[in-house]
Amino acid sequence: MEQLGLNEVRERFLRFFEGKEHLVLPSFSLVPKSDKSLLLINAGMAPLKPYFTGQEVPPKKRVTTCQKCIRTPDIERVGITARHGTFFEMLGNFSFGDYFKEEAISWAWEFITEDLKLPVDKLWVTIYQDDDEAFDIWHDKIGVPAERIVRMGKEDNFWEIGVGPCGPCSEIYFDRGPDKGCGKEDCAIGCDCDRFVEFWNLVFTQFNKDEEGNYTRLSHPNIDTGMGLERIAAIMQGVDSLFEVDTIRKIMEGVSDIARVQYGQNKKTDISLRVITDHIRGTIFMISDGILPSNEGRGYVLRRLLRRAARHGKLLGIDRPFLSQIADIAIRESHKAYPELKEKRDYILKVIEMEEERFDQTIDQGLSILQTFIEDMDKNNIHQLDGERAFRLYDTYGFPLDLTKEILAEHNMDVDESSFKKEMEIQRERARSARHETNYMGTEDNLYDVIDTDISTAFKGYDVLETKSKVINIIKDNELCEKAEKDDNVILLLDKTPFYGESGGQVGDKGIIKGDNGKIVVEDTQKIYGNRIIHKGKVVEGTISTCEEVTAKVDKNLRMAATRNHTCTHLLHKALREVLGNHVEQSGSFVAPDKLRFDFSHFAPLSDEELAKVEKIVNEKILESMDVETIETSFDDAKHMGATALFGEKYGDIVRVVKIDDFSIELCGGTHLKNTAQAGVFKILGESGVAAGIRRIEAITGMNAYMHMVRLDDILKEMTVELKTSTQDLPKRIDMLIGQIKDKQREIDMLRSKLAINSLDDILKHKKEVNGISYIAVKLDEQDMDGLRKMADVLRDKLGSGIVVLASTQGSKVFFVAAATKDVVKQGIHAGNLIREVAKVAGGGGGGRPDMAQAGGKDPSKVDKALEYVEKILATQLA
């Protein structure tokens, strides 16, 4: 048995099946396409679901892949064992109605025994208990002894999810030897010990299960196999876990070097080394597929992995940001198989750096909040932190439970872990319910399933805006029909169309479809599975029937407006790279007739100067009247030309390149101008942040930009008339008026302060006592925070001994101030802690020193109630 590296095993597998006439497809993105059942791709067959269900025609009936996958249900166990991981690569060979059991079994055996040269006497297989066909192939054709073919029940060796296609499976095991086992006499296949390792699962999809539980044979059965790359590499290298496989071990060694610890010497540090190693592998692939850290969905998964890795770095004693350094090693080990990692290296590392810095900030906040909890518990003689608070620290601030427990233990306290786990389960349930329940393989039942998969639409809209077309299908009320009548809402499928179907960020065309007997107003056009374009609209005249010839005509003005915006997104992309740097990558876009929206990677808001430079470059390129050329070529040739591809996009063998002179060249299937001058003018409306490391620019072009400038000019004229000045002098006039308003406001504030100070004696009459401590808690009218502080200082002096709490409102804002004399501070009064609790009643927060503090609130209606709470808080502080 050869000692093969992980990268070599992957290459050998793909080349082997390529030799068996399989099409080698690159790994699909971790972000599922049109599959709401999955948050992330978690199996080799998952991206191929449309081919298995018949929604799409596969590029070939035989396919092989190495698919990157993420699984997170057991994330808490990652690191604790040497088996569990969130990221893995799945090797697979697939047949869509072509070959079946005999070929699948024969080729699997040929690969592992002749190519990988695994010892035959170490191999075992399992089959479904009733699958005599599989037994005969394994025993009679392959020659596996009957005693090494284990029949297992439906739970282990029959693949099905609800109703739909399903079938038996056969698994291949490797016997690592008795020394790796549990030592029990009955140790065999199925034992939980480490002796028998299942590494390849062959699924024979040969039945269809109906609602009544009946199984009928499929006329075209499928093959779906999956072999864990890390698992087979561990077998080839004779190591005990995936973390000791060559490429993965190098990542872990990088962590060890930084932390100055050795793997295998300490159980606790081993856990942290495994967590960091696994999580960093997953994060580099997630970011390369366009996922960014966030608080929901797959972005939350990424954030959780990164923060869990960063936290384990701290447990190892690493006191500086280090994850990007480890990520660089992971990229180096995998970029030959996944070139996008090298292409996006700088971007990936920057995202990781930013998230690790953000975690450092939030964990410090967590420490501060935990300290407050400890102080409250100590004063109230409580020794256990409730699970809700512990979970809030974990969920909001990324504060790990074990660190919370460790800090609490120093104060002879602990955590209510049972209620913490309940909160964790509630969150998991929310995540589960957010995903859609679906049928076979996660595909949704939808009205497009009624369309014959052999039908496709020829798109003619790059060259013409009107075609003579034939109506292939009419869908009304989710069903196929022969005819549609006036006022019917319908979906039409034509044999050819000039209408652009929504894709690549560009919205679908609108227009008219007209026949001899009727007319449809098309309100939207969309692309669906199988290279089909559907037209959504309403019959406004007469009737439309299947098989009749119609005229399909796009609304020229709307198409042209959208086209201007689309071409300008390309100019904008290049301009941003020139002004900000080559790290800028498009991460999303929206192109409609009225505006464009462009999302891109950048790590800070753009300054006014940067925005002005970008806008100027785009307009310069418009005025240079640059030719816009579209070229159809192979993907590899397009890359050699320097064409930019988008995050997460999958491109076919033939791609469309949009080249704007020598300025911009991108892969794009959208509609574009012939010359940049057709855009007219480009105007940026705004720039904002939409996610960590992602900025957004909104802009307009053509007549929309012109009308925008007309509206601004009208506003300017109104202002000059209203303010009785000229356009040139308008800024000076506004500055003067603002200055006058500020002066008047200062006068008003001074008068209010004087009036308030004159009423000090009245305020002092509100003095009360609690446990011998004097206090005043009153509400003043229309005072800002500065005015309240001055009043509190004066009242504190007048009071002599005690604490003053003042509140005021201005509109929807609430202000609180507390000031305590030194003697009552010594007795346990803390103005900062008091004002924080007071402000909570009014929906706010704050704090400060023991002798002076301030806070804000959001609910003016709760101010009186908040002030009533002062007595109770003081009593608690003095207890």
PDB file of all heavy atoms in Angstrom, residues 323-353:
ATOM      1  N   LEU A 323      -4.997  34.016  13.160  1.00  0.00           N
ATOM      2  CA  LEU A 323      -5.751  33.121  12.279  1.00  0.00           C
ATOM      3  C   LEU A 323      -5.420  33.316  10.801  1.00  0.00           C
ATOM      4  O   LEU A 323      -5.408  32.347  10.032  1.00  0.00           O
ATOM      5  CB  LEU A 323      -7.259  33.317  12.501  1.00  0.00           C
ATOM      6  CG  LEU A 323      -7.811  32.831  13.844  1.00  0.00           C
ATOM      7  CD1 LEU A 323      -9.310  33.067  13.915  1.00  0.00           C
ATOM      8  CD2 LEU A 323      -7.492  31.357  14.073  1.00  0.00           C
ATOM      9  N   SER A 324      -5.144  34.554  10.392  1.00  0.00           N
ATOM     10  CA  SER A 324      -4.814  34.768   8.972  1.00  0.00           C
ATOM     11  C   SER A 324      -3.492  34.088   8.616  1.00  0.00           C
ATOM     12  O   SER A 324      -3.306  33.627   7.486  1.00  0.00           O
ATOM     13  CB  SER A 324      -4.756  36.267   8.658  1.00  0.00           C
ATOM     14  OG  SER A 324      -3.722  36.897   9.384  1.00  0.00           O
ATOM     15  N   GLN A 325      -2.596  33.997   9.584  1.00  0.00           N
ATOM     16  CA  GLN A 325      -1.318  33.314   9.360  1.00  0.00           C
ATOM     17  C   GLN A 325      -1.548  31.815   9.131  1.00  0.00           C
ATOM     18  O   GLN A 325      -0.934  31.202   8.243  1.00  0.00           O
ATOM     19  CB  GLN A 325      -0.416  33.538  10.584  1.00  0.00           C
ATOM     20  CG  GLN A 325       1.020  33.075  10.408  1.00  0.00           C
ATOM     21  CD  GLN A 325       1.874  33.427  11.622  1.00  0.00           C
ATOM     22  OE1 GLN A 325       1.526  34.303  12.423  1.00  0.00           O
ATOM     23  NE2 GLN A 325       2.997  32.738  11.777  1.00  0.00           N
ATOM     24  N   ILE A 326      -2.465  31.231   9.897  1.00  0.00           N
ATOM     25  CA  ILE A 326      -2.805  29.814   9.722  1.00  0.00           C
ATOM     26  C   ILE A 326      -3.578  29.613   8.423  1.00  0.00           C
ATOM     27  O   ILE A 326      -3.374  28.623   7.706  1.00  0.00           O
ATOM     28  CB  ILE A 326      -3.632  29.304  10.923  1.00  0.00           C
ATOM     29  CG1 ILE A 326      -2.862  29.539  12.237  1.00  0.00           C
ATOM     30  CG2 ILE A 326      -3.960  27.830  10.764  1.00  0.00           C
ATOM     31  CD1 ILE A 326      -1.477  28.933  12.276  1.00  0.00           C
ATOM     32  N   ALA A 327      -4.454  30.567   8.118  1.00  0.00           N
ATOM     33  CA  ALA A 327      -5.227  30.485   6.874  1.00  0.00           C
ATOM     34  C   ALA A 327      -4.307  30.473   5.661  1.00  0.00           C
ATOM     35  O   ALA A 327      -4.574  29.791   4.669  1.00  0.00           O
ATOM     36  CB  ALA A 327      -6.210  31.647   6.791  1.00  0.00           C
ATOM     37  N   ASP A 328      -3.218  31.211   5.739  1.00  0.00           N
ATOM     38  CA  ASP A 328      -2.265  31.256   4.626  1.00  0.00           C
ATOM     39  C   ASP A 328      -1.653  29.868   4.375  1.00  0.00           C
ATOM     40  O   ASP A 328      -1.438  29.463   3.230  1.00  0.00           O
ATOM     41  CB  ASP A 328      -1.171  32.277   4.935  1.00  0.00           C
ATOM     42  CG  ASP A 328      -0.616  32.919   3.663  1.00  0.00           C
ATOM     43  OD1 ASP A 328      -1.220  32.732   2.587  1.00  0.00           O
ATOM     44  OD2 ASP A 328       0.412  33.603   3.746  1.00  0.00           O
ATOM     45  N   ILE A 329      -1.399  29.138   5.459  1.00  0.00           N
ATOM     46  CA  ILE A 329      -0.876  27.770   5.314  1.00  0.00           C
ATOM     47  C   ILE A 329      -1.935  26.888   4.657  1.00  0.00           C
ATOM     48  O   ILE A 329      -1.636  26.102   3.747  1.00  0.00           O
ATOM     49  CB  ILE A 329      -0.481  27.187   6.686  1.00  0.00           C
ATOM     50  CG1 ILE A 329       0.613  28.044   7.350  1.00  0.00           C
ATOM     51  CG2 ILE A 329      -0.004  25.741   6.540  1.00  0.00           C
ATOM     52  CD1 ILE A 329       0.915  27.650   8.790  1.00  0.00           C
ATOM     53  N   ALA A 330      -3.186  27.014   5.109  1.00  0.00           N
ATOM     54  CA  ALA A 330      -4.280  26.202   4.550  1.00  0.00           C
ATOM     55  C   ALA A 330      -4.461  26.491   3.059  1.00  0.00           C
ATOM     56  O   ALA A 330      -4.692  25.572   2.259  1.00  0.00           O
ATOM     57  CB  ALA A 330      -5.574  26.480   5.305  1.00  0.00           C
ATOM     58  N   ILE A 331      -4.350  27.754   2.674  1.00  0.00           N
ATOM     59  CA  ILE A 331      -4.463  28.121   1.251  1.00  0.00           C
ATOM     60  C   ILE A 331      -3.327  27.483   0.460  1.00  0.00           C
ATOM     61  O   ILE A 331      -3.540  26.932  -0.623  1.00  0.00           O
ATOM     62  CB  ILE A 331      -4.453  29.659   1.098  1.00  0.00           C
ATOM     63  CG1 ILE A 331      -5.751  30.255   1.649  1.00  0.00           C
ATOM     64  CG2 ILE A 331      -4.259  30.065  -0.369  1.00  0.00           C
ATOM     65  CD1 ILE A 331      -5.749  31.758   1.771  1.00  0.00           C
ATOM     66  N   ARG A 332      -2.136  27.541   1.002  1.00  0.00           N
ATOM     67  CA  ARG A 332      -0.967  26.968   0.320  1.00  0.00           C
ATOM     68  C   ARG A 332      -1.124  25.466   0.091  1.00  0.00           C
ATOM     69  O   ARG A 332      -0.726  24.939  -0.947  1.00  0.00           O
ATOM     70  CB  ARG A 332       0.288  27.238   1.163  1.00  0.00           C
ATOM     71  CG  ARG A 332       1.597  26.830   0.490  1.00  0.00           C
ATOM     72  CD  ARG A 332       2.759  27.027   1.439  1.00  0.00           C
ATOM     73  NE  ARG A 332       2.707  26.091   2.565  1.00  0.00           N
ATOM     74  CZ  ARG A 332       3.107  26.386   3.805  1.00  0.00           C
ATOM     75  NH1 ARG A 332       3.568  27.580   4.098  1.00  0.00           N
ATOM     76  NH2 ARG A 332       3.036  25.458   4.767  1.00  0.00           N
ATOM     77  N   GLU A 333      -1.748  24.766   1.029  1.00  0.00           N
ATOM     78  CA  GLU A 333      -1.885  23.317   0.929  1.00  0.00           C
ATOM     79  C   GLU A 333      -2.990  22.888  -0.045  1.00  0.00           C
ATOM     80  O   GLU A 333      -3.014  21.744  -0.479  1.00  0.00           O
ATOM     81  CB  GLU A 333      -2.169  22.716   2.311  1.00  0.00           C
ATOM     82  CG  GLU A 333      -1.010  22.828   3.288  1.00  0.00           C
ATOM     83  CD  GLU A 333       0.250  22.145   2.783  1.00  0.00           C
ATOM     84  OE1 GLU A 333       0.147  21.032   2.233  1.00  0.00           O
ATOM     85  OE2 GLU A 333       1.339  22.739   2.919  1.00  0.00           O
ATOM     86  N   SER A 334      -3.917  23.794  -0.371  1.00  0.00           N
ATOM     87  CA  SER A 334      -5.083  23.392  -1.173  1.00  0.00           C
ATOM     88  C   SER A 334      -5.254  24.147  -2.485  1.00  0.00           C
ATOM     89  O   SER A 334      -6.133  23.802  -3.271  1.00  0.00           O
ATOM     90  CB  SER A 334      -6.363  23.565  -0.335  1.00  0.00           C
ATOM     91  OG  SER A 334      -6.353  22.735   0.800  1.00  0.00           O
ATOM     92  N   HIS A 335      -4.435  25.159  -2.750  1.00  0.00           N
ATOM     93  CA  HIS A 335      -4.737  26.043  -3.881  1.00  0.00           C
ATOM     94  C   HIS A 335      -4.543  25.398  -5.253  1.00  0.00           C
ATOM     95  O   HIS A 335      -5.141  25.850  -6.243  1.00  0.00           O
ATOM     96  CB  HIS A 335      -3.916  27.339  -3.793  1.00  0.00           C
ATOM     97  CG  HIS A 335      -2.465  27.178  -4.152  1.00  0.00           C
ATOM     98  ND1 HIS A 335      -2.015  27.192  -5.449  1.00  0.00           N
ATOM     99  CD2 HIS A 335      -1.359  27.028  -3.385  1.00  0.00           C
ATOM    100  CE1 HIS A 335      -0.700  27.041  -5.468  1.00  0.00           C
ATOM    101  NE2 HIS A 335      -0.292  26.930  -4.219  1.00  0.00           N
ATOM    102  N   LYS A 336      -3.750  24.323  -5.332  1.00  0.00           N
ATOM    103  CA  LYS A 336      -3.573  23.699  -6.642  1.00  0.00           C
ATOM    104  C   LYS A 336      -4.870  23.034  -7.105  1.00  0.00           C
ATOM    105  O   LYS A 336      -5.212  23.058  -8.287  1.00  0.00           O
ATOM    106  CB  LYS A 336      -2.425  22.682  -6.593  1.00  0.00           C
ATOM    107  CG  LYS A 336      -1.056  23.349  -6.512  1.00  0.00           C
ATOM    108  CD  LYS A 336       0.070  22.326  -6.529  1.00  0.00           C
ATOM    109  CE  LYS A 336       1.417  23.028  -6.450  1.00  0.00           C
ATOM    110  NZ  LYS A 336       2.553  22.054  -6.406  1.00  0.00           N
ATOM    111  N   ALA A 337      -5.599  22.450  -6.176  1.00  0.00           N
ATOM    112  CA  ALA A 337      -6.887  21.840  -6.522  1.00  0.00           C
ATOM    113  C   ALA A 337      -7.995  22.879  -6.578  1.00  0.00           C
ATOM    114  O   ALA A 337      -8.985  22.706  -7.295  1.00  0.00           O
ATOM    115  CB  ALA A 337      -7.245  20.761  -5.513  1.00  0.00           C
ATOM    116  N   TYR A 338      -7.824  23.955  -5.831  1.00  0.00           N
ATOM    117  CA  TYR A 338      -8.833  25.008  -5.763  1.00  0.00           C
ATOM    118  C   TYR A 338      -8.149  26.352  -6.035  1.00  0.00           C
ATOM    119  O   TYR A 338      -7.835  27.095  -5.096  1.00  0.00           O
ATOM    120  CB  TYR A 338      -9.514  25.012  -4.388  1.00  0.00           C
ATOM    121  CG  TYR A 338     -10.183  23.704  -4.048  1.00  0.00           C
ATOM    122  CD1 TYR A 338      -9.532  22.746  -3.262  1.00  0.00           C
ATOM    123  CD2 TYR A 338     -11.457  23.411  -4.522  1.00  0.00           C
ATOM    124  CE1 TYR A 338     -10.147  21.539  -2.957  1.00  0.00           C
ATOM    125  CE2 TYR A 338     -12.074  22.202  -4.224  1.00  0.00           C
ATOM    126  CZ  TYR A 338     -11.413  21.271  -3.439  1.00  0.00           C
ATOM    127  OH  TYR A 338     -12.021  20.078  -3.144  1.00  0.00           O
ATOM    128  N   PRO A 339      -7.903  26.688  -7.299  1.00  0.00           N
ATOM    129  CA  PRO A 339      -7.146  27.902  -7.635  1.00  0.00           C
ATOM    130  C   PRO A 339      -7.787  29.188  -7.144  1.00  0.00           C
ATOM    131  O   PRO A 339      -7.099  30.198  -6.967  1.00  0.00           O
ATOM    132  CB  PRO A 339      -7.075  27.869  -9.168  1.00  0.00           C
ATOM    133  CG  PRO A 339      -8.108  26.891  -9.610  1.00  0.00           C
ATOM    134  CD  PRO A 339      -8.255  25.914  -8.508  1.00  0.00           C
ATOM    135  N   GLU A 340      -9.111  29.149  -6.881  1.00  0.00           N
ATOM    136  CA  GLU A 340      -9.769  30.366  -6.390  1.00  0.00           C
ATOM    137  C   GLU A 340      -9.208  30.797  -5.037  1.00  0.00           C
ATOM    138  O   GLU A 340      -9.258  31.974  -4.682  1.00  0.00           O
ATOM    139  CB  GLU A 340     -11.284  30.171  -6.292  1.00  0.00           C
ATOM    140  CG  GLU A 340     -11.752  29.157  -5.272  1.00  0.00           C
ATOM    141  CD  GLU A 340     -11.887  27.740  -5.817  1.00  0.00           C
ATOM    142  OE1 GLU A 340     -11.257  27.445  -6.860  1.00  0.00           O
ATOM    143  OE2 GLU A 340     -12.613  26.934  -5.215  1.00  0.00           O
ATOM    144  N   LEU A 341      -8.654  29.858  -4.278  1.00  0.00           N
ATOM    145  CA  LEU A 341      -8.058  30.214  -2.981  1.00  0.00           C
ATOM    146  C   LEU A 341      -6.857  31.139  -3.171  1.00  0.00           C
ATOM    147  O   LEU A 341      -6.679  32.102  -2.423  1.00  0.00           O
ATOM    148  CB  LEU A 341      -7.625  28.953  -2.226  1.00  0.00           C
ATOM    149  CG  LEU A 341      -8.734  28.025  -1.727  1.00  0.00           C
ATOM    150  CD1 LEU A 341      -8.122  26.774  -1.113  1.00  0.00           C
ATOM    151  CD2 LEU A 341      -9.635  28.737  -0.729  1.00  0.00           C
ATOM    152  N   LYS A 342      -6.039  30.836  -4.166  1.00  0.00           N
ATOM    153  CA  LYS A 342      -4.875  31.680  -4.437  1.00  0.00           C
ATOM    154  C   LYS A 342      -5.296  33.020  -5.018  1.00  0.00           C
ATOM    155  O   LYS A 342      -4.760  34.076  -4.665  1.00  0.00           O
ATOM    156  CB  LYS A 342      -3.923  30.962  -5.399  1.00  0.00           C
ATOM    157  CG  LYS A 342      -2.575  31.669  -5.562  1.00  0.00           C
ATOM    158  CD  LYS A 342      -1.614  30.810  -6.363  1.00  0.00           C
ATOM    159  CE  LYS A 342      -0.235  31.489  -6.441  1.00  0.00           C
ATOM    160  NZ  LYS A 342       0.715  30.649  -7.215  1.00  0.00           N
ATOM    161  N   GLU A 343      -6.304  32.975  -5.927  1.00  0.00           N
ATOM    162  CA  GLU A 343      -6.781  34.205  -6.552  1.00  0.00           C
ATOM    163  C   GLU A 343      -7.374  35.162  -5.520  1.00  0.00           C
ATOM    164  O   GLU A 343      -7.216  36.372  -5.622  1.00  0.00           O
ATOM    165  CB  GLU A 343      -7.833  33.878  -7.609  1.00  0.00           C
ATOM    166  CG  GLU A 343      -7.283  33.112  -8.817  1.00  0.00           C
ATOM    167  CD  GLU A 343      -8.389  32.557  -9.702  1.00  0.00           C
ATOM    168  OE1 GLU A 343      -9.573  32.910  -9.461  1.00  0.00           O
ATOM    169  OE2 GLU A 343      -8.090  31.771 -10.612  1.00  0.00           O
ATOM    170  N   LYS A 344      -8.053  34.627  -4.509  1.00  0.00           N
ATOM    171  CA  LYS A 344      -8.727  35.457  -3.513  1.00  0.00           C
ATOM    172  C   LYS A 344      -7.945  35.536  -2.203  1.00  0.00           C
ATOM    173  O   LYS A 344      -8.485  35.975  -1.189  1.00  0.00           O
ATOM    174  CB  LYS A 344     -10.121  34.889  -3.214  1.00  0.00           C
ATOM    175  CG  LYS A 344     -10.971  34.589  -4.435  1.00  0.00           C
ATOM    176  CD  LYS A 344     -11.310  35.828  -5.213  1.00  0.00           C
ATOM    177  CE  LYS A 344     -12.200  35.497  -6.397  1.00  0.00           C
ATOM    178  NZ  LYS A 344     -12.406  36.661  -7.268  1.00  0.00           N
ATOM    179  N   ARG A 345      -6.671  35.146  -2.219  1.00  0.00           N
ATOM    180  CA  ARG A 345      -5.893  35.028  -0.987  1.00  0.00           C
ATOM    181  C   ARG A 345      -5.943  36.299  -0.136  1.00  0.00           C
ATOM    182  O   ARG A 345      -6.264  36.255   1.059  1.00  0.00           O
ATOM    183  CB  ARG A 345      -4.445  34.682  -1.330  1.00  0.00           C
ATOM    184  CG  ARG A 345      -3.509  34.704  -0.121  1.00  0.00           C
ATOM    185  CD  ARG A 345      -2.060  34.491  -0.528  1.00  0.00           C
ATOM    186  NE  ARG A 345      -1.161  34.675   0.597  1.00  0.00           N
ATOM    187  CZ  ARG A 345      -0.672  35.869   0.980  1.00  0.00           C
ATOM    188  NH1 ARG A 345      -0.999  36.962   0.311  1.00  0.00           N
ATOM    189  NH2 ARG A 345       0.134  35.946   2.027  1.00  0.00           N
ATOM    190  N   ASP A 346      -5.614  37.440  -0.731  1.00  0.00           N
ATOM    191  CA  ASP A 346      -5.556  38.686   0.047  1.00  0.00           C
ATOM    192  C   ASP A 346      -6.908  39.018   0.662  1.00  0.00           C
ATOM    193  O   ASP A 346      -6.996  39.455   1.814  1.00  0.00           O
ATOM    194  CB  ASP A 346      -5.081  39.843  -0.834  1.00  0.00           C
ATOM    195  CG  ASP A 346      -3.629  39.683  -1.268  1.00  0.00           C
ATOM    196  OD1 ASP A 346      -2.921  38.849  -0.670  1.00  0.00           O
ATOM    197  OD2 ASP A 346      -3.209  40.378  -2.205  1.00  0.00           O
ATOM    198  N   TYR A 347      -7.955  38.793  -0.118  1.00  0.00           N
ATOM    199  CA  TYR A 347      -9.305  39.077   0.360  1.00  0.00           C
ATOM    200  C   TYR A 347      -9.669  38.153   1.526  1.00  0.00           C
ATOM    201  O   TYR A 347     -10.193  38.595   2.558  1.00  0.00           O
ATOM    202  CB  TYR A 347     -10.289  38.896  -0.797  1.00  0.00           C
ATOM    203  CG  TYR A 347     -11.741  39.049  -0.415  1.00  0.00           C
ATOM    204  CD1 TYR A 347     -12.293  40.307  -0.215  1.00  0.00           C
ATOM    205  CD2 TYR A 347     -12.561  37.933  -0.265  1.00  0.00           C
ATOM    206  CE1 TYR A 347     -13.621  40.452   0.128  1.00  0.00           C
ATOM    207  CE2 TYR A 347     -13.897  38.069   0.082  1.00  0.00           C
ATOM    208  CZ  TYR A 347     -14.417  39.329   0.268  1.00  0.00           C
ATOM    209  OH  TYR A 347     -15.741  39.466   0.616  1.00  0.00           O
ATOM    210  N   ILE A 348      -9.392  36.864   1.377  1.00  0.00           N
ATOM    211  CA  ILE A 348      -9.703  35.887   2.432  1.00  0.00           C
ATOM    212  C   ILE A 348      -8.994  36.258   3.731  1.00  0.00           C
ATOM    213  O   ILE A 348      -9.597  36.272   4.809  1.00  0.00           O
ATOM    214  CB  ILE A 348      -9.298  34.465   1.984  1.00  0.00           C
ATOM    215  CG1 ILE A 348     -10.165  34.004   0.809  1.00  0.00           C
ATOM    216  CG2 ILE A 348      -9.415  33.472   3.141  1.00  0.00           C
ATOM    217  CD1 ILE A 348      -9.628  32.754   0.111  1.00  0.00           C
ATOM    218  N   LEU A 349      -7.712  36.559   3.616  1.00  0.00           N
ATOM    219  CA  LEU A 349      -6.933  36.868   4.817  1.00  0.00           C
ATOM    220  C   LEU A 349      -7.422  38.154   5.483  1.00  0.00           C
ATOM    221  O   LEU A 349      -7.458  38.253   6.717  1.00  0.00           O
ATOM    222  CB  LEU A 349      -5.447  36.991   4.462  1.00  0.00           C
ATOM    223  CG  LEU A 349      -4.785  35.739   3.869  1.00  0.00           C
ATOM    224  CD1 LEU A 349      -3.284  35.963   3.673  1.00  0.00           C
ATOM    225  CD2 LEU A 349      -5.015  34.518   4.754  1.00  0.00           C
ATOM    226  N   LYS A 350      -7.835  39.139   4.670  1.00  0.00           N
ATOM    227  CA  LYS A 350      -8.318  40.397   5.238  1.00  0.00           C
ATOM    228  C   LYS A 350      -9.620  40.199   5.996  1.00  0.00           C
ATOM    229  O   LYS A 350      -9.810  40.740   7.086  1.00  0.00           O
ATOM    230  CB  LYS A 350      -8.520  41.422   4.110  1.00  0.00           C
ATOM    231  CG  LYS A 350      -8.905  42.816   4.610  1.00  0.00           C
ATOM    232  CD  LYS A 350      -7.774  43.437   5.415  1.00  0.00           C
ATOM    233  CE  LYS A 350      -8.123  44.861   5.832  1.00  0.00           C
ATOM    234  NZ  LYS A 350      -7.068  45.473   6.680  1.00  0.00           N
ATOM    235  N   VAL A 351     -10.536  39.404   5.437  1.00  0.00           N
ATOM    236  CA  VAL A 351     -11.806  39.124   6.123  1.00  0.00           C
ATOM    237  C   VAL A 351     -11.543  38.442   7.462  1.00  0.00           C
ATOM    238  O   VAL A 351     -12.145  38.793   8.489  1.00  0.00           O
ATOM    239  CB  VAL A 351     -12.722  38.247   5.241  1.00  0.00           C
ATOM    240  CG1 VAL A 351     -13.933  37.753   6.039  1.00  0.00           C
ATOM    241  CG2 VAL A 351     -13.189  39.017   4.012  1.00  0.00           C
ATOM    242  N   ILE A 352     -10.627  37.482   7.466  1.00  0.00           N
ATOM    243  CA  ILE A 352     -10.296  36.767   8.706  1.00  0.00           C
ATOM    244  C   ILE A 352      -9.665  37.709   9.726  1.00  0.00           C
ATOM    245  O   ILE A 352     -10.008  37.680  10.914  1.00  0.00           O
ATOM    246  CB  ILE A 352      -9.368  35.573   8.397  1.00  0.00           C
ATOM    247  CG1 ILE A 352     -10.147  34.493   7.635  1.00  0.00           C
ATOM    248  CG2 ILE A 352      -8.773  34.988   9.682  1.00  0.00           C
ATOM    249  CD1 ILE A 352      -9.302  33.355   7.124  1.00  0.00           C
ATOM    250  N   GLU A 353      -8.747  38.571   9.276  1.00  0.00           N
ATOM    251  CA  GLU A 353      -8.117  39.549  10.179  1.00  0.00           C
ATOM    252  C   GLU A 353      -9.162  40.445  10.839  1.00  0.00           C
ATOM    253  O   GLU A 353      -9.134  40.675  12.050  1.00  0.00           O
ATOM    254  CB  GLU A 353      -7.131  40.420   9.402  1.00  0.00           C
ATOM    255  CG  GLU A 353      -5.816  39.737   9.052  1.00  0.00           C
ATOM    256  CD  GLU A 353      -4.942  40.614   8.172  1.00  0.00           C
ATOM    257  OE1 GLU A 353      -5.272  41.814   8.008  1.00  0.00           O
ATOM    258  OE2 GLU A 353      -3.945  40.109   7.633  1.00  0.00           O
TER     259      GLU A 353
END
